[in-house]
Amino acid sequence: MSNSYTSDILKPFKLKTKQQELLIRVSILCLVYILAFITRLFSVLRYESMIHEFDPYFNYRTTLYLTQHGFYDFWNWFDYESWYPLGRIVGGTLYPGLMVTAALIYRLLHFLRFAVHIREVCVLTAPFFASNTTLVAYFFGKEIWDSGAGLVAAILIAVCPGYISRSVAGSYDNEGVAIFALLFTFYLFVKAVNTGSLAWGLASAFGYFYMVSAWGGYVFIINLIPLYVLVLLITGRYSMRLYVAYNCLYILGMLLAMQIRFVGFQHVQSGEHMAAMGVFFLMQVFYFLDWVKHMLSDTKLFQEFLRITVTCAVAVGGIALGVGMASGYISPWTGRFYSLLDPTYAKDHIPIIASVSEHQPTAWSSFMFDFHILLFLFPAGLYFCFKRLSDATIFIVMYGLTSMYFAGVMVRLILVATPAVCLISAIAVSATVKNLTVLLRSKTKVAQIGSTKGTSSAKASSKASLDQSQPFQKNGAMALLFGAFYLLSRYATHCTWVTSEAYSSPSIVLAARGAHGNRVIFDDYREAYFWLRQNTPLDAKVMSWWDYGYQITAMGNRTVIVDNNTWNNTHIATVGRAMSSYEDEAYEIIRSLDVDYVLVVFGGVTGYSSDDINKFLWMVRIGGGVFPVIKEPDYLVNGEYRVDKGAAPKMLNCLMYKLSYYRFGEMMTEYGKPPGYDRARGVEIGNKDIKLEHLEEAFTTSNWIVRIYKVKPPNNRW
Amino acid sequence: MAPKADTQSAGAVAAADASSQFSMDPLFHILKVVPYSFLRAPRLRLKIPSVSLPSAMTVFSLVLLTYFMVVSGFVYDVIVEPPGIGSTQDPATGAVRPVVFLPGRVNGQYIIEGLSSGFMFVLGGIGIVLLDLALDKNRARSVKVSYAIAGISSVVIAYVMTTLFIRIKIPGYLR
């Protein structure tokens, strides 16, 4: 009697299987959403809520401007505080998606009377969009394979280090929003191809518009989707659904993309977008041929017509492309994207692109670091996709392969490959687990039915042996399932470790382990920028290497000569030439640029290895690229770059050397080593007695990391 | 879908039995008049090879090969041109010892370490594929068992070796 009583109480809570499944799915998605957010909060908990790195400071400054002055002032903003004396047209040279998104979230929160500072919104934008990406990954996985694969995809992408590296809290950069927009656009497009509905096509066009407004990597979408359409056409999967989806995306997406001033008319003028246009016209030819075939009843006639039309179409297309490129209307591929197709191009021709550490090609350990288990699951997932080819699986295979190739060319693009790798790995996991659980749940009556049929002795014996091996198979399947869960748990451990150790560093605050294992924090950058802000005249101009430009304008609030936008190579080469010349020639250049302060970063006291002396050869190369008077071999000894006694004389007397090592010769940096021992290079410096004639030291931070020099006015006539 | 540019052979066939075939192709009619009214087309026995799409599994094996090259850092090897294997000098004896794993950086490798790691990744992937083949119903039982054993051992070996490699390469891994 008590049994029925308790079952009566529990009755409203007893769910049918379908409801149970829905509850499990929703709770998994909620947990994954929260997990994706909190795993990116390491640096906020360890340091404070601040913006990391270099580029996010520019984004933060523009978002601040947007919230203070409104959208039209932001869109028409001419910034005179950077790239002195050229200035920068900010409205026309940035992708506004990130700033507008953050500003909208800020407005929404203020509307709900949560008076947060814009900096908090900026810091937490990336984790918020990472959580949204997991939801999109779930729906995408459901579209490609089934809901189980969708759930696994959501879990994998929530913690994958390849994505976390650019979307950690504080990393307020375009990619944080762009990966969400990328996956969302792809999902909407695949949904449009699967359903053939105009509504989904329209949604994918708007998704594409959001992607174009967010990141320059939209070129990947506008080339991958035409390639995908081409592959579908070649494999004979042309259909009305594909026609509707692609036309809607291309035309509306192109028109919407032209609203972004930075993109402008590139969709009809730039060589990188011509593939989309070519495929668009090819689709029209296909549709036309399909219609003619439908009208004609004679196949022979149609074959002739087919031959003539395709020849004419290809000829007209080729002539149009040739005329466009020859007349210069269609510009060729820009260096940044061309170096993806020909990786050796940047090394020989464009030193600025080659110098960025994120643009180096990828070694196996970077792949392992960022993907771990997924590197095994990716080929397995490809196998499953090839087993069950459909429009959607062909898409994900193409996305995976192209993005993996680009990830191999440039480390930074591992980010773009991450969603594809997660989705394909999820397919492998889901299919394998499904196989194993089917084996686990197979009932023994299969063997009984086989034995009652008994057509031939061999069949009966095999069924009998099947009966015998059933428990063995069940145990084997159970063991394999445990093995799979063990591997996935190792993946989760690895991802959390990598996030905590490698990708949660703010880069503007450095941390190291002291002698007794305690954590030592170097906050020199912010110290120097704050000094600049408080102790220099408001119209002072600061010259430094372009890495620090955004931070100086955002935090120091002073005008800079060159910054991270690197749009003017000659201006950067002028600064590079100044840094690598003798002090007198450098003073001429400094006076011509109207500079008041020079800022260098020096890691000799702390052992910080990303300082200006280690970057110096890039200054020489970039300066030498424009001014042939700077020759790289002058600074090397036997092809080797040295700063000790055996260094080249030009190196020992150039401006960068003097500014870095001024007064360093008397400094004791390490016990048991002579004074003037450079801990970052591991040598004793060559020229210890440095005298500066035209500059004087203004400020050196407490750990000697940032050093600021004031430019003295020229001597009076005597 | 590409147009067949065999107007020459079509012309020869049409020249042979002119009345039996009627063509709508204007190019063919032009060619019939301009060179071939006074030139005699040679008798050729050329056949355009028929291009058919490769099967899905052929494409998959090509894809696997490409994946192996990408993931073993082939582009890195071509651009940065590291040595095949590094070397260090033993401070005590002065002998030169080989160093397999490039120490100090995450994004750097020697050629051989890249190739061996790439091989391990592909081995792991193939192991999972073999497991799926083992669970396929339409094979003999002994084949299924051998596939299953091969698959499980591949995955285990690949995972263990990869973890070992990364532990050697990055000394502070998971500490």
Side-chain angles (χ1 to χ4, degrees), chain B residues 93-122:
Chain B
T93 61
V96 174
R97 283 182 313 160
V99 171
V100 183
F101 291 97
L102 179 71
R105 314 201 317 260
V106 174
N107 195 35
Q109 66 175 39
Y110 294 126
I111 299 184
I112 290 191
E113 71 170 285
L115 288 174
S116 40
S117 316
F119 173 68
M120 285 302 151
F121 296 141
V122 171

PDB file of all heavy atoms in Angstrom, chain B residues 93-122:
ATOM      1  N   THR B  93      81.706  14.271 -22.433  1.00  0.00           N
ATOM      2  CA  THR B  93      82.552  13.490 -23.351  1.00  0.00           C
ATOM      3  C   THR B  93      82.855  14.230 -24.639  1.00  0.00           C
ATOM      4  O   THR B  93      83.778  13.862 -25.352  1.00  0.00           O
ATOM      5  CB  THR B  93      81.858  12.175 -23.730  1.00  0.00           C
ATOM      6  OG1 THR B  93      80.627  12.514 -24.397  1.00  0.00           O
ATOM      7  CG2 THR B  93      81.537  11.356 -22.501  1.00  0.00           C
ATOM      8  N   GLY B  94      82.060  15.294 -24.958  1.00  0.00           N
ATOM      9  CA  GLY B  94      82.304  15.989 -26.210  1.00  0.00           C
ATOM     10  C   GLY B  94      81.684  15.312 -27.413  1.00  0.00           C
ATOM     11  O   GLY B  94      81.809  15.796 -28.539  1.00  0.00           O
ATOM     12  N   ALA B  95      81.025  14.165 -27.189  1.00  0.00           N
ATOM     13  CA  ALA B  95      80.390  13.483 -28.324  1.00  0.00           C
ATOM     14  C   ALA B  95      79.113  14.232 -28.704  1.00  0.00           C
ATOM     15  O   ALA B  95      78.491  14.890 -27.877  1.00  0.00           O
ATOM     16  CB  ALA B  95      80.073  12.040 -27.935  1.00  0.00           C
ATOM     17  N   VAL B  96      78.716  14.088 -29.960  1.00  0.00           N
ATOM     18  CA  VAL B  96      77.514  14.764 -30.458  1.00  0.00           C
ATOM     19  C   VAL B  96      76.352  13.803 -30.361  1.00  0.00           C
ATOM     20  O   VAL B  96      76.363  12.722 -30.941  1.00  0.00           O
ATOM     21  CB  VAL B  96      77.722  15.210 -31.921  1.00  0.00           C
ATOM     22  CG1 VAL B  96      76.431  15.784 -32.463  1.00  0.00           C
ATOM     23  CG2 VAL B  96      78.829  16.227 -32.000  1.00  0.00           C
ATOM     24  N   ARG B  97      75.343  14.224 -29.581  1.00  0.00           N
ATOM     25  CA  ARG B  97      74.182  13.346 -29.419  1.00  0.00           C
ATOM     26  C   ARG B  97      72.993  13.925 -30.174  1.00  0.00           C
ATOM     27  O   ARG B  97      72.832  15.145 -30.204  1.00  0.00           O
ATOM     28  CB  ARG B  97      73.809  13.241 -27.939  1.00  0.00           C
ATOM     29  CG  ARG B  97      74.715  12.338 -27.163  1.00  0.00           C
ATOM     30  CD  ARG B  97      74.247  12.257 -25.752  1.00  0.00           C
ATOM     31  NE  ARG B  97      73.957  13.600 -25.246  1.00  0.00           N
ATOM     32  CZ  ARG B  97      73.203  13.854 -24.211  1.00  0.00           C
ATOM     33  NH1 ARG B  97      72.646  12.868 -23.561  1.00  0.00           N
ATOM     34  NH2 ARG B  97      72.974  15.082 -23.816  1.00  0.00           N
ATOM     35  N   PRO B  98      72.180  13.064 -30.752  1.00  0.00           N
ATOM     36  CA  PRO B  98      71.006  13.598 -31.462  1.00  0.00           C
ATOM     37  C   PRO B  98      69.903  14.013 -30.488  1.00  0.00           C
ATOM     38  O   PRO B  98      69.756  13.435 -29.409  1.00  0.00           O
ATOM     39  CB  PRO B  98      70.545  12.406 -32.322  1.00  0.00           C
ATOM     40  CG  PRO B  98      71.017  11.216 -31.580  1.00  0.00           C
ATOM     41  CD  PRO B  98      72.276  11.608 -30.881  1.00  0.00           C
ATOM     42  N   VAL B  99      69.181  15.054 -30.855  1.00  0.00           N
ATOM     43  CA  VAL B  99      68.036  15.529 -30.074  1.00  0.00           C
ATOM     44  C   VAL B  99      66.819  15.425 -30.966  1.00  0.00           C
ATOM     45  O   VAL B  99      66.774  16.034 -32.036  1.00  0.00           O
ATOM     46  CB  VAL B  99      68.231  16.994 -29.644  1.00  0.00           C
ATOM     47  CG1 VAL B  99      66.958  17.532 -29.044  1.00  0.00           C
ATOM     48  CG2 VAL B  99      69.358  17.091 -28.646  1.00  0.00           C
ATOM     49  N   VAL B 100      65.842  14.635 -30.564  1.00  0.00           N
ATOM     50  CA  VAL B 100      64.707  14.393 -31.458  1.00  0.00           C
ATOM     51  C   VAL B 100      63.689  15.520 -31.381  1.00  0.00           C
ATOM     52  O   VAL B 100      63.173  15.971 -32.392  1.00  0.00           O
ATOM     53  CB  VAL B 100      64.037  13.055 -31.114  1.00  0.00           C
ATOM     54  CG1 VAL B 100      62.908  12.781 -32.080  1.00  0.00           C
ATOM     55  CG2 VAL B 100      65.051  11.950 -31.160  1.00  0.00           C
ATOM     56  N   PHE B 101      63.398  16.001 -30.165  1.00  0.00           N
ATOM     57  CA  PHE B 101      62.339  16.982 -29.993  1.00  0.00           C
ATOM     58  C   PHE B 101      62.937  18.362 -29.761  1.00  0.00           C
ATOM     59  O   PHE B 101      63.767  18.537 -28.881  1.00  0.00           O
ATOM     60  CB  PHE B 101      61.460  16.612 -28.805  1.00  0.00           C
ATOM     61  CG  PHE B 101      60.654  15.380 -29.052  1.00  0.00           C
ATOM     62  CD1 PHE B 101      61.086  14.153 -28.606  1.00  0.00           C
ATOM     63  CD2 PHE B 101      59.455  15.458 -29.737  1.00  0.00           C
ATOM     64  CE1 PHE B 101      60.349  13.014 -28.848  1.00  0.00           C
ATOM     65  CE2 PHE B 101      58.709  14.327 -29.977  1.00  0.00           C
ATOM     66  CZ  PHE B 101      59.151  13.105 -29.534  1.00  0.00           C
ATOM     67  N   LEU B 102      62.490  19.340 -30.539  1.00  0.00           N
ATOM     68  CA  LEU B 102      62.991  20.703 -30.374  1.00  0.00           C
ATOM     69  C   LEU B 102      62.511  21.247 -29.035  1.00  0.00           C
ATOM     70  O   LEU B 102      61.307  21.381 -28.830  1.00  0.00           O
ATOM     71  CB  LEU B 102      62.462  21.577 -31.508  1.00  0.00           C
ATOM     72  CG  LEU B 102      62.882  23.047 -31.484  1.00  0.00           C
ATOM     73  CD1 LEU B 102      64.334  23.180 -31.815  1.00  0.00           C
ATOM     74  CD2 LEU B 102      62.044  23.844 -32.455  1.00  0.00           C
ATOM     75  N   PRO B 103      63.417  21.564 -28.131  1.00  0.00           N
ATOM     76  CA  PRO B 103      62.968  22.001 -26.810  1.00  0.00           C
ATOM     77  C   PRO B 103      62.667  23.485 -26.781  1.00  0.00           C
ATOM     78  O   PRO B 103      63.113  24.237 -27.635  1.00  0.00           O
ATOM     79  CB  PRO B 103      64.189  21.679 -25.925  1.00  0.00           C
ATOM     80  CG  PRO B 103      65.342  21.810 -26.838  1.00  0.00           C
ATOM     81  CD  PRO B 103      64.876  21.478 -28.220  1.00  0.00           C
ATOM     82  N   GLY B 104      61.921  23.909 -25.816  1.00  0.00           N
ATOM     83  CA  GLY B 104      61.775  25.328 -25.512  1.00  0.00           C
ATOM     84  C   GLY B 104      60.529  25.984 -26.065  1.00  0.00           C
ATOM     85  O   GLY B 104      59.965  26.848 -25.440  1.00  0.00           O
ATOM     86  N   ARG B 105      60.070  25.628 -27.258  1.00  0.00           N
ATOM     87  CA  ARG B 105      58.915  26.310 -27.828  1.00  0.00           C
ATOM     88  C   ARG B 105      57.828  25.309 -28.144  1.00  0.00           C
ATOM     89  O   ARG B 105      58.102  24.155 -28.447  1.00  0.00           O
ATOM     90  CB  ARG B 105      59.279  27.010 -29.143  1.00  0.00           C
ATOM     91  CG  ARG B 105      60.533  27.795 -29.097  1.00  0.00           C
ATOM     92  CD  ARG B 105      60.606  28.835 -30.172  1.00  0.00           C
ATOM     93  NE  ARG B 105      60.170  28.435 -31.483  1.00  0.00           N
ATOM     94  CZ  ARG B 105      60.986  28.091 -32.473  1.00  0.00           C
ATOM     95  NH1 ARG B 105      62.265  28.029 -32.268  1.00  0.00           N
ATOM     96  NH2 ARG B 105      60.514  27.802 -33.662  1.00  0.00           N
ATOM     97  N   VAL B 106      56.588  25.795 -28.079  1.00  0.00           N
ATOM     98  CA  VAL B 106      55.495  24.926 -28.490  1.00  0.00           C
ATOM     99  C   VAL B 106      55.420  24.874 -30.007  1.00  0.00           C
ATOM    100  O   VAL B 106      55.226  23.813 -30.607  1.00  0.00           O
ATOM    101  CB  VAL B 106      54.157  25.428 -27.909  1.00  0.00           C
ATOM    102  CG1 VAL B 106      53.014  24.611 -28.466  1.00  0.00           C
ATOM    103  CG2 VAL B 106      54.170  25.334 -26.407  1.00  0.00           C
ATOM    104  N   ASN B 107      55.592  26.012 -30.670  1.00  0.00           N
ATOM    105  CA  ASN B 107      55.423  26.037 -32.116  1.00  0.00           C
ATOM    106  C   ASN B 107      56.744  25.901 -32.840  1.00  0.00           C
ATOM    107  O   ASN B 107      57.183  26.783 -33.536  1.00  0.00           O
ATOM    108  CB  ASN B 107      54.720  27.334 -32.525  1.00  0.00           C
ATOM    109  CG  ASN B 107      54.216  27.241 -33.945  1.00  0.00           C
ATOM    110  OD1 ASN B 107      53.805  26.189 -34.391  1.00  0.00           O
ATOM    111  ND2 ASN B 107      54.272  28.334 -34.660  1.00  0.00           N
ATOM    112  N   GLY B 108      57.423  24.777 -32.656  1.00  0.00           N
ATOM    113  CA  GLY B 108      58.662  24.547 -33.379  1.00  0.00           C
ATOM    114  C   GLY B 108      58.885  23.066 -33.437  1.00  0.00           C
ATOM    115  O   GLY B 108      58.495  22.330 -32.532  1.00  0.00           O
ATOM    116  N   GLN B 109      59.512  22.567 -34.501  1.00  0.00           N
ATOM    117  CA  GLN B 109      59.724  21.126 -34.585  1.00  0.00           C
ATOM    118  C   GLN B 109      60.894  20.826 -35.499  1.00  0.00           C
ATOM    119  O   GLN B 109      61.320  21.666 -36.286  1.00  0.00           O
ATOM    120  CB  GLN B 109      58.477  20.441 -35.142  1.00  0.00           C
ATOM    121  CG  GLN B 109      58.192  20.831 -36.583  1.00  0.00           C
ATOM    122  CD  GLN B 109      57.039  20.060 -37.165  1.00  0.00           C
ATOM    123  OE1 GLN B 109      56.048  19.802 -36.502  1.00  0.00           O
ATOM    124  NE2 GLN B 109      57.163  19.678 -38.416  1.00  0.00           N
ATOM    125  N   TYR B 110      61.420  19.634 -35.355  1.00  0.00           N
ATOM    126  CA  TYR B 110      62.304  19.076 -36.355  1.00  0.00           C
ATOM    127  C   TYR B 110      61.454  18.200 -37.265  1.00  0.00           C
ATOM    128  O   TYR B 110      60.351  17.805 -36.920  1.00  0.00           O
ATOM    129  CB  TYR B 110      63.402  18.238 -35.713  1.00  0.00           C
ATOM    130  CG  TYR B 110      64.357  19.027 -34.868  1.00  0.00           C
ATOM    131  CD1 TYR B 110      64.604  18.668 -33.550  1.00  0.00           C
ATOM    132  CD2 TYR B 110      65.031  20.142 -35.367  1.00  0.00           C
ATOM    133  CE1 TYR B 110      65.481  19.374 -32.762  1.00  0.00           C
ATOM    134  CE2 TYR B 110      65.894  20.856 -34.581  1.00  0.00           C
ATOM    135  CZ  TYR B 110      66.123  20.473 -33.280  1.00  0.00           C
ATOM    136  OH  TYR B 110      66.992  21.176 -32.507  1.00  0.00           O
ATOM    137  N   ILE B 111      62.014  17.867 -38.427  1.00  0.00           N
ATOM    138  CA  ILE B 111      61.194  17.191 -39.433  1.00  0.00           C
ATOM    139  C   ILE B 111      60.755  15.820 -38.943  1.00  0.00           C
ATOM    140  O   ILE B 111      59.590  15.433 -39.065  1.00  0.00           O
ATOM    141  CB  ILE B 111      61.977  17.074 -40.758  1.00  0.00           C
ATOM    142  CG1 ILE B 111      62.321  18.464 -41.270  1.00  0.00           C
ATOM    143  CG2 ILE B 111      61.169  16.320 -41.774  1.00  0.00           C
ATOM    144  CD1 ILE B 111      62.993  18.463 -42.603  1.00  0.00           C
ATOM    145  N   ILE B 112      61.686  15.068 -38.352  1.00  0.00           N
ATOM    146  CA  ILE B 112      61.355  13.686 -38.003  1.00  0.00           C
ATOM    147  C   ILE B 112      60.314  13.632 -36.896  1.00  0.00           C
ATOM    148  O   ILE B 112      59.401  12.796 -36.925  1.00  0.00           O
ATOM    149  CB  ILE B 112      62.649  12.941 -37.610  1.00  0.00           C
ATOM    150  CG1 ILE B 112      63.490  12.746 -38.858  1.00  0.00           C
ATOM    151  CG2 ILE B 112      62.322  11.614 -36.962  1.00  0.00           C
ATOM    152  CD1 ILE B 112      64.644  11.825 -38.685  1.00  0.00           C
ATOM    153  N   GLU B 113      60.428  14.531 -35.922  1.00  0.00           N
ATOM    154  CA  GLU B 113      59.430  14.482 -34.851  1.00  0.00           C
ATOM    155  C   GLU B 113      58.060  14.829 -35.403  1.00  0.00           C
ATOM    156  O   GLU B 113      57.048  14.242 -34.984  1.00  0.00           O
ATOM    157  CB  GLU B 113      59.813  15.422 -33.708  1.00  0.00           C
ATOM    158  CG  GLU B 113      59.675  16.887 -34.020  1.00  0.00           C
ATOM    159  CD  GLU B 113      59.831  17.780 -32.803  1.00  0.00           C
ATOM    160  OE1 GLU B 113      58.909  17.840 -31.994  1.00  0.00           O
ATOM    161  OE2 GLU B 113      60.871  18.435 -32.708  1.00  0.00           O
ATOM    162  N   GLY B 114      58.001  15.748 -36.380  1.00  0.00           N
ATOM    163  CA  GLY B 114      56.709  16.065 -36.979  1.00  0.00           C
ATOM    164  C   GLY B 114      56.107  14.873 -37.687  1.00  0.00           C
ATOM    165  O   GLY B 114      54.920  14.550 -37.524  1.00  0.00           O
ATOM    166  N   LEU B 115      56.928  14.168 -38.465  1.00  0.00           N
ATOM    167  CA  LEU B 115      56.410  13.032 -39.222  1.00  0.00           C
ATOM    168  C   LEU B 115      55.960  11.917 -38.298  1.00  0.00           C
ATOM    169  O   LEU B 115      54.909  11.302 -38.511  1.00  0.00           O
ATOM    170  CB  LEU B 115      57.489  12.514 -40.181  1.00  0.00           C
ATOM    171  CG  LEU B 115      57.772  13.428 -41.368  1.00  0.00           C
ATOM    172  CD1 LEU B 115      58.951  12.908 -42.162  1.00  0.00           C
ATOM    173  CD2 LEU B 115      56.562  13.513 -42.262  1.00  0.00           C
ATOM    174  N   SER B 116      56.726  11.651 -37.242  1.00  0.00           N
ATOM    175  CA  SER B 116      56.315  10.549 -36.365  1.00  0.00           C
ATOM    176  C   SER B 116      55.045  10.888 -35.604  1.00  0.00           C
ATOM    177  O   SER B 116      54.162  10.041 -35.438  1.00  0.00           O
ATOM    178  CB  SER B 116      57.432  10.156 -35.397  1.00  0.00           C
ATOM    179  OG  SER B 116      58.084  11.291 -34.914  1.00  0.00           O
ATOM    180  N   SER B 117      54.897  12.150 -35.178  1.00  0.00           N
ATOM    181  CA  SER B 117      53.660  12.516 -34.491  1.00  0.00           C
ATOM    182  C   SER B 117      52.479  12.451 -35.439  1.00  0.00           C
ATOM    183  O   SER B 117      51.404  11.966 -35.065  1.00  0.00           O
ATOM    184  CB  SER B 117      53.768  13.918 -33.920  1.00  0.00           C
ATOM    185  OG  SER B 117      54.991  14.096 -33.297  1.00  0.00           O
ATOM    186  N   GLY B 118      52.680  12.928 -36.665  1.00  0.00           N
ATOM    187  CA  GLY B 118      51.599  12.866 -37.641  1.00  0.00           C
ATOM    188  C   GLY B 118      51.170  11.431 -37.880  1.00  0.00           C
ATOM    189  O   GLY B 118      49.982  11.119 -37.981  1.00  0.00           O
ATOM    190  N   PHE B 119      52.149  10.532 -37.956  1.00  0.00           N
ATOM    191  CA  PHE B 119      51.829   9.115 -38.146  1.00  0.00           C
ATOM    192  C   PHE B 119      50.996   8.594 -36.984  1.00  0.00           C
ATOM    193  O   PHE B 119      50.039   7.830 -37.172  1.00  0.00           O
ATOM    194  CB  PHE B 119      53.113   8.307 -38.286  1.00  0.00           C
ATOM    195  CG  PHE B 119      52.886   6.838 -38.322  1.00  0.00           C
ATOM    196  CD1 PHE B 119      52.253   6.257 -39.402  1.00  0.00           C
ATOM    197  CD2 PHE B 119      53.266   6.032 -37.271  1.00  0.00           C
ATOM    198  CE1 PHE B 119      52.014   4.901 -39.441  1.00  0.00           C
ATOM    199  CE2 PHE B 119      53.037   4.678 -37.297  1.00  0.00           C
ATOM    200  CZ  PHE B 119      52.412   4.109 -38.378  1.00  0.00           C
ATOM    201  N   MET B 120      51.338   9.009 -35.757  1.00  0.00           N
ATOM    202  CA  MET B 120      50.564   8.545 -34.594  1.00  0.00           C
ATOM    203  C   MET B 120      49.124   9.024 -34.658  1.00  0.00           C
ATOM    204  O   MET B 120      48.187   8.274 -34.340  1.00  0.00           O
ATOM    205  CB  MET B 120      51.206   9.064 -33.305  1.00  0.00           C
ATOM    206  CG  MET B 120      52.465   8.352 -32.920  1.00  0.00           C
ATOM    207  SD  MET B 120      52.160   6.603 -32.726  1.00  0.00           S
ATOM    208  CE  MET B 120      53.742   5.951 -33.158  1.00  0.00           C
ATOM    209  N   PHE B 121      48.941  10.283 -35.086  1.00  0.00           N
ATOM    210  CA  PHE B 121      47.572  10.792 -35.168  1.00  0.00           C
ATOM    211  C   PHE B 121      46.761   9.985 -36.170  1.00  0.00           C
ATOM    212  O   PHE B 121      45.620   9.591 -35.904  1.00  0.00           O
ATOM    213  CB  PHE B 121      47.568  12.268 -35.593  1.00  0.00           C
ATOM    214  CG  PHE B 121      48.220  13.177 -34.607  1.00  0.00           C
ATOM    215  CD1 PHE B 121      48.998  14.236 -35.028  1.00  0.00           C
ATOM    216  CD2 PHE B 121      48.048  13.008 -33.252  1.00  0.00           C
ATOM    217  CE1 PHE B 121      49.586  15.091 -34.134  1.00  0.00           C
ATOM    218  CE2 PHE B 121      48.643  13.843 -32.341  1.00  0.00           C
ATOM    219  CZ  PHE B 121      49.422  14.894 -32.784  1.00  0.00           C
ATOM    220  N   VAL B 122      47.362   9.727 -37.339  1.00  0.00           N
ATOM    221  CA  VAL B 122      46.635   8.975 -38.370  1.00  0.00           C
ATOM    222  C   VAL B 122      46.372   7.551 -37.895  1.00  0.00           C
ATOM    223  O   VAL B 122      45.306   6.982 -38.144  1.00  0.00           O
ATOM    224  CB  VAL B 122      47.427   8.994 -39.690  1.00  0.00           C
ATOM    225  CG1 VAL B 122      46.815   8.060 -40.698  1.00  0.00           C
ATOM    226  CG2 VAL B 122      47.467  10.386 -40.262  1.00  0.00           C
TER     227      VAL B 122
END
